Amino acid sequence: MAEVTLLQTRGLTRRFGGLTAVDRVDFTLMQGEIRAIIGPNGAGKSTFVGLLSGRIAPDAGTVLFDGQDITRLPAHRRVRLGIAYTFQITNIYPAMTVRENLAVAAQSRLAHEAEIAAAAQEAAIAVGLEDRLPDRAGALSYGHQRLLEVAMGLALHPKLLILDEPTQGLSDDEIDNFLTVVRRVAQTATVLLIEHNMDVVMALATAITVLDRGRILAEGPPEAIARDPAVQDAYLGSAT
Amino acid sequence: MNLAPYLLLATLEGLVQASVFALTALGLSLVFGVMRVVNVAHGEFFTLGAVGAWLCAMLLPGHPAISFAAALVAAPLAVGALAWAADRLILKRIDYDPEATIVSTIGLMYVIQQVVLMTFGPDARAVDAPFWYTIRFPWFGWSGYKVFIIVVAVALVGGLWLAMRHTRFGLIMRATQYDRETAQNFGIPVDRVYAAVFALGAMFAAVAGVLVVPNSQAHYLMGHDPLLMSFVVVIVGGLGSLPGTVAAAVLIGMADGWLSVFFSPTLAKIFSTLLVALVLVFRPAGLFGKAVRA
Amino acid sequence: MRNLRLFALTIAVLAGLFGVQFVISGYPVLALTRILILAVFAMGYNVLMGYTGLVSLGHALFFAAGLYGAGLAAYYGGVALPIAFAAGIAAAAVLSLVVGLLALRTQTVSFMIVTLMFAQAGYLATLHFSAITGGDQGLSLPAHARSFSLLGQEIALTSATARYNIALAVFAVVLLALYALTQGPRGRLFAAVRENPERTRMLGYDVGRIRLLAFTVSGTISGVAGALYGLMFGFIGSSFAEFRSSVEVLLFTLVGGPGTLFGPLVGTTVMTLLIDRLSGLTSAYLIAVGVLLIVLTLWFPKGILGTIRDRWAPWLR
């Protein structure tokens, strides 16, 4: 597979008051990767993906996606271009059914009700929620709600799926199932995930970026990162 | 034609207006500031104050000063008790949901207004001023009672300001305003603070109502304009900001006085309503305010 | 994901409303005509409040825009009634687009106050320009504006039967249009914006535009009701622009069930009959409006049909 750049940032910066949460970050993501972003709390991970998804506006720098400058594009337009984002805190439509949740996502790219229904079904199957389609989303277990959120991302058929701490609060069994789901997703989309659980990171990621105090501390394949003394010093040593 | 006498008169009348606006609006602002809810029935508390003054004048014969003094104490207390009950029975139960509070206080507005209509009747009724004294200007005489309105308003506004700064209750209110959850964790009885603040806000409106009656008249629909003007004052001054509210009351009271020399009252009202809407749209923190917390 | 049971109910209700005119006569026909028109107003309001979750306190403005747009065109312009009707709808559409653009920059409480203030300014304007509008006294449309010809047929609006059938026709068109709007993908989007705007934005939707669409549709339908009301009864007056109208339409929707297709019709029917009864008994009938607003927010925030939907009939929406 040819190496194609999917997403690139140059000098990306965001300040909150006196604090520089993301500091002149140059970052490149290739098509087909599963990239994990790790780093201690307050390293700027969520702010960084917020800048990519358009939920937060940068103070300086540019974001290129699929060869196009999207720095000034509002969040909803970026989604249409193929950047799907799942929230750190579960964010679904609790009063609507699972089917309706997925349909809202699918109709973002489809016009006909039959196609929308089929896409909703397909997304549900991809995460193993096909039996829960008629149920109220708010009535699902926490683990299933997280899966539903991933499925909503899938229903968008994104080029890039950003997952913000997807396994937080999941049981071990649920995490295993989640790993299977993400590997399947990665066959069609590039995945960028923020993750605290190092077992998940090591099992999934094809490459890791370590953020610390708003800057990239290290970047590379999982094994190399795990051995990197600077990373161990800043992060892994204190990780649980 | 010499405009000076007109403008002097307009300024004086404007100051009286500003005093009434400041009292009424401070009540609304206090409730919004601490509880983050809008009380649409606020104008009815004003009406009840005025009707209370009339009732005292009926029940207590003798010198008007006696019944007026009684009204100045009794009416706000009665209105405060009513507001306290409304907080316990309605607002607390809907958990101070901002939208549901507006809908239910619209309901409360109609209930109070119509009860006043059924008991007090549809006519406007006058009450004697507690004293008669006319200040002589070269061009016109001016009622000394109006000076009294200004003095009472300044005293109450100053008193509230001092109480907010320097008393324990003020501290508790400010803490609750700043963060309800944290206040609760520090053992502040947030429920009782809310009830007290809602009652206090209503009492300010009631005092304004009492003060206004000798100057104008009591009528069951009289709460409408004060409600509107309170909205204008509170929003232009910045939601929940006491100094901003006072500044806006003076500005708008004076503007109202001057504008009514040149324009019809309806046109002045159109201007104020549009001002409120546009300030909320383009300067949500108010004309004098800085950014508000979300 | 069409809702066939709701569609069947829609057809049945329309058939029933058509048939009922052969059974009743006299005052009930007039009452039902009024109910149908006010139900259209409430249906318009429901698009914004029920389906999209934005509570406006100023919809009297759009009803009045329709009323005055149509009424003034007929009174001064002397145009044929269908053209006056269209003028009223156009006035409401333009006004709701402009007010929507401004008001939607705010949310929740501010949104309620902004819509209230715009409507109040509109009401005061009808008083201020009383030389044109007739103000409080209003204007009665002249005889030539009480009939029109349609397909060569002369239709007199002084006939109760003609009025009822025209009101029913407009009601039916709005009802079917709203069925199509709310039960398809668009309705799902409105609900998505109501339930979780941030999530909806991150699924690729311009939430502001969806809200503006809902606001404009809502205001325009309210204007349809206003234009119809003015032309049918031949009277335009500023009392329709009062705050009370905005509260009443909110109440109709709350009673019937916000976010249900038939909630506005049910709520309008119940409340109109109740207010009719009460105003015969006391001049203070508005006290019932007040008590109901409090009772509904305390115990029945979902209204009659909303409660039935949640308990027994999820398709009733």
Side-chain angles (χ1 to χ4, degrees):
Chain A
M1 188 166 119
E3 289 277 287
V4 182
T5 306
L6 181 67
L7 180 122
Q8 194 171 30
T9 72
R10 290 195 204 115
L12 200 60
T13 302
R14 171 69 202 210
R15 293 177 210 97
F16 293 108
L19 180 88
T20 307
V22 172
D23 192 1
R24 288 165 288 168
V25 168
D26 297 321
F27 174 85
T28 304
L29 188 64
M30 295 297 169
Q31 214 163 59
E33 277 191 73
I34 302 180
R35 176 76 64 95
I37 297 182
I38 64 171
N41 283 328
K45 305 183 297 287
S46 280
T47 307
F48 180 64
V49 296
L51 292 168
L52 302 184
S53 67
R55 298 185 70 220
I56 303 171
D59 291 316
T62 52
V63 183
L64 297 168
F65 180 73
D66 223 6
Q68 187 183 346
D69 186 342
I70 60 165
T71 316
R72 301 266 152 256
L73 228 48
H76 64 93
R77 296 272 304 279
R78 299 189 193 194
V79 177
R80 294 286 168 115
L81 285 179
I83 303 180
Y85 175 85
T86 69
F87 291 80
Q88 183 173 4
I89 298 158
T90 308
N91 206 331
I92 53 173
Y93 305 106
M96 302 179 14
T97 63
V98 171
R99 191 192 304 279
E100 285 168 332
N101 270 270
L102 294 170
V104 173
Q107 81 184 64
S108 171
R109 62 185 174 88
L110 299 169
H112 298 291
E113 277 293 80
E115 289 172 7
I116 293 169
Q121 179 99 20
E122 182 195 25
I125 292 171
V127 300
L129 279 179
E130 64 271 27
D131 297 336
R132 309 301 302 269
L133 280 168
D135 297 350
R136 257 189 66 238
L140 298 182
S141 71
Y142 179 77
H144 280 166
Q145 291 188 1
R146 296 244 56 153
L147 284 178
L148 172 59
E149 227 197 314
V150 174
M152 287 163 82
L154 292 185
L156 294 167
H157 278 198
K159 292 180 182 137
L160 171 62
L161 180 63
I162 300 176
L163 303 165
D164 195 348
E165 301 207 14
T167 64
Q168 201 177 39
L170 295 190
S171 72
D172 289 348
D173 284 352
E174 286 170 332
I175 288 179
D176 283 346
N177 179 34
F178 182 81
L179 295 181
T180 323
V181 168
V182 173
R183 288 203 188 93
R184 202 180 306 146
V185 173
Q187 290 165 7
T188 54
T190 307
V191 176
L192 179 65
L193 77 159
I194 295 180
E195 185 55 70
H196 272 303
N197 183 331
M198 283 314 291
D199 293 338
V200 171
V201 171
M202 291 319 237
L204 272 182
T206 54
I208 296 177
T209 299
V210 186
L211 278 188
D212 187 28
R213 273 167 280 174
R215 295 184 179 218
I216 294 182
L217 184 70
E219 204 164 52
E223 310 77 45
I225 293 296
R227 284 195 304 268
D228 190 319
V231 174
Q232 283 178 351
D233 201 38
Y235 178 56
L236 294 177
S238 63
T240 46
Chain B
M1 188 180 90
N2 184 6
L3 265 180
Y6 290 95
L7 287 178
L8 175 63
L9 182 61
T11 307
L12 290 171
E13 293 291 334
L15 278 175
V16 177
Q17 285 283 4
S19 306
V20 175
F21 290 166
L23 283 180
T24 324
L26 268 184
L28 197 68
S29 175
L30 195 65
V31 168
F32 182 83
V34 177
M35 303 165 67
R36 299 272 135 190
V37 297
V38 175
N39 173 22
V40 184
H42 196 65
E44 289 353 274
F45 293 141
F46 177 89
T47 308
L48 285 177
V51 170
W54 174 81
L55 199 64
C56 284
M58 288 294 103
L59 295 176
L60 299 171
H63 195 275
I66 299 168
S67 62
F68 185 82
L72 211 46
V73 176
L77 284 179
V79 168
L82 179 72
W84 184 84
D87 176 84
R88 297 289 79 184
L89 295 175
I90 304 172
L91 301 189
K92 179 177 154 61
R93 288 175 192 229
I94 54 176
D95 201 25
Y96 305 98
D97 175 86
E99 290 175 327
T101 299
I102 291 189
V103 174
S104 58
T105 53
I106 291 174
L108 189 62
M109 170 185 89
Y110 280 125
V111 170
I112 296 177
Q113 183 192 89
Q114 298 296 308
V115 167
V116 171
L117 170 65
M118 285 193 289
T119 53
F120 177 82
D123 303 322
R125 293 158 202 253
V127 172
D128 283 340
F131 59 88
W132 291 101
Y133 177 76
T134 305
I135 303 169
R136 292 256 147 237
F137 289 97
W139 313 279
F140 53 82
W142 203 58
S143 159
Y145 174 72
K146 291 179 178 174
V147 178
F148 177 72
I149 295 182
I150 299 172
V151 170
V152 173
V154 169
L156 282 176
V157 169
L160 177 69
W161 191 77
L162 287 175
M164 286 296 269
R165 298 266 129 196
H166 298 295
T167 66
R168 196 176 136 66
F169 182 68
L171 181 69
I172 288 175
M173 271 203 294
R174 281 184 292 141
T176 313
Q177 163 165 17
Y178 191 72
D179 186 342
R180 180 183 174 179
E181 309 266 310
T182 313
Q184 196 131 33
N185 292 341
F186 274 97
I188 292 177
V190 169
D191 271 11
R192 272 158 50 201
V193 174
Y194 274 23
V197 166
F198 198 69
L200 189 63
M203 289 166 81
F204 267 86
V207 170
V210 173
L211 287 174
V212 139
V213 180
N215 198 25
S216 48
Q217 280 179 327
H219 182 252
Y220 82 104
L221 289 177
M222 71 188 293
H224 199 105
D225 281 354
L227 177 68
L228 174 66
M229 292 321 286
S230 300
F231 268 122
V232 178
V233 166
V234 170
I235 286 162
V236 169
L239 284 166
S241 142
L242 292 192
T245 303
V246 173
V250 173
L251 177 78
I252 286 163
M254 302 301 287
D256 200 60
W258 289 327
L259 285 178
S260 58
V261 176
F262 304 104
F263 298 108
S264 82
T266 316
L267 200 60
K269 266 193 248 170
I270 293 179
F271 176 77
S272 356
T273 46
L274 286 178
L275 178 70
V276 172
L278 295 176
V279 167
L280 272 178
V281 169
F282 294 107
R283 289 287 312 258
L287 285 185
F288 308 131
K290 300 193 187 87
V292 281
R293 283 173 292 117
Chain C
M1 295 190 202
R2 289 284 165 191
N3 193 342
L4 286 178
R5 275 191 279 196
L6 190 63
F7 189 71
L9 181 65
T10 304
I11 299 302
V13 166
L14 289 177
L17 285 169
F18 182 75
V20 77
Q21 61 182 307
F22 303 108
V23 188
I24 59 173
S25 61
Y27 178 72
V29 179
L30 177 70
L32 202 51
T33 308
R34 274 193 69 224
I35 287 173
L36 285 180
I37 300 176
L38 292 177
V40 170
F41 184 18
M43 281 151 75
Y45 185 76
N46 190 30
V47 170
L48 192 64
M49 189 264 198
Y51 287 105
T52 321
L54 295 167
V55 184
S56 149
L57 287 179
H59 261 49
L61 180 65
F62 308 122
F63 186 88
L67 184 89
Y68 280 102
L72 295 179
Y75 190 89
Y76 293 105
V79 298
L81 293 191
I83 293 173
F85 186 53
I89 297 171
V94 171
L95 193 62
S96 53
L97 180 67
V98 173
V99 171
L101 277 171
L102 292 170
L104 287 170
R105 294 171 59 115
T106 63
Q107 284 186 351
T108 60
V109 170
S110 298
F111 179 79
M112 292 167 97
I113 299 173
V114 168
T115 48
L116 165 69
M117 290 300 162
F118 275 122
Q120 200 61 18
Y123 165 62
L124 293 168
T126 65
L127 294 180
H128 184 70
F129 298 104
S130 58
I132 302 164
T133 63
D136 266 339
Q137 305 297 310
L139 299 171
S140 288
L141 296 186
H144 68 80
R146 301 295 294 134
S147 70
F148 66 101
S149 56
L150 188 72
L151 307 170
Q153 191 89 20
E154 192 71 10
I155 298 171
L157 289 180
T158 42
S159 146
T161 316
R163 282 200 303 241
Y164 180 76
N165 283 294
I166 292 170
L168 179 58
V170 173
F171 173 84
V173 168
V174 171
L175 184 67
L176 290 169
L178 285 186
Y179 174 86
L181 182 72
T182 60
Q183 305 303 313
R186 191 69 70 182
R188 200 158 50 225
L189 268 193
F190 286 168
V193 169
R194 178 189 66 208
E195 296 284 325
N196 193 339
E198 182 57 14
R199 171 77 268 184
T200 309
R201 182 164 78 102
M202 294 313 291
L203 287 175
Y205 300 101
D206 188 339
V207 170
R209 274 180 62 172
I210 297 171
R211 284 186 170 143
L212 185 61
L213 175 74
F215 195 100
T216 313
V217 168
S218 171
T220 307
I221 294 177
S222 304
V224 169
L228 192 61
Y229 201 101
L231 296 178
M232 293 279 247
F233 298 111
F235 175 76
I236 52 175
S238 59
S239 66
F240 296 105
E242 270 187 70
F243 178 55
R244 200 173 69 206
S245 290
S246 297
V247 172
E248 277 172 359
V249 76
L250 165 71
L251 182 63
F252 294 167
T253 311
L254 269 180
V255 168
T260 61
L261 189 61
F262 285 99
L265 177 64
V266 171
T268 309
T269 309
V270 170
M271 285 312 300
T272 316
L273 296 179
L274 186 73
I275 290 178
D276 255 20
R277 269 301 141 75
L278 282 173
S279 53
L281 295 175
T282 165
S283 57
Y285 69 92
L286 277 172
I287 200 167
V289 171
V291 170
L292 266 170
L293 283 173
I294 296 173
V295 168
L296 284 167
T297 38
L298 278 179
W299 291 295
F300 301 102
K302 296 187 169 167
I304 297 171
L305 291 189
T307 306
I308 294 177
R309 174 195 60 197
D310 289 359
R311 297 256 170 91
W312 301 290
W315 53 273
L316 204 59
R317 54 189 198 172

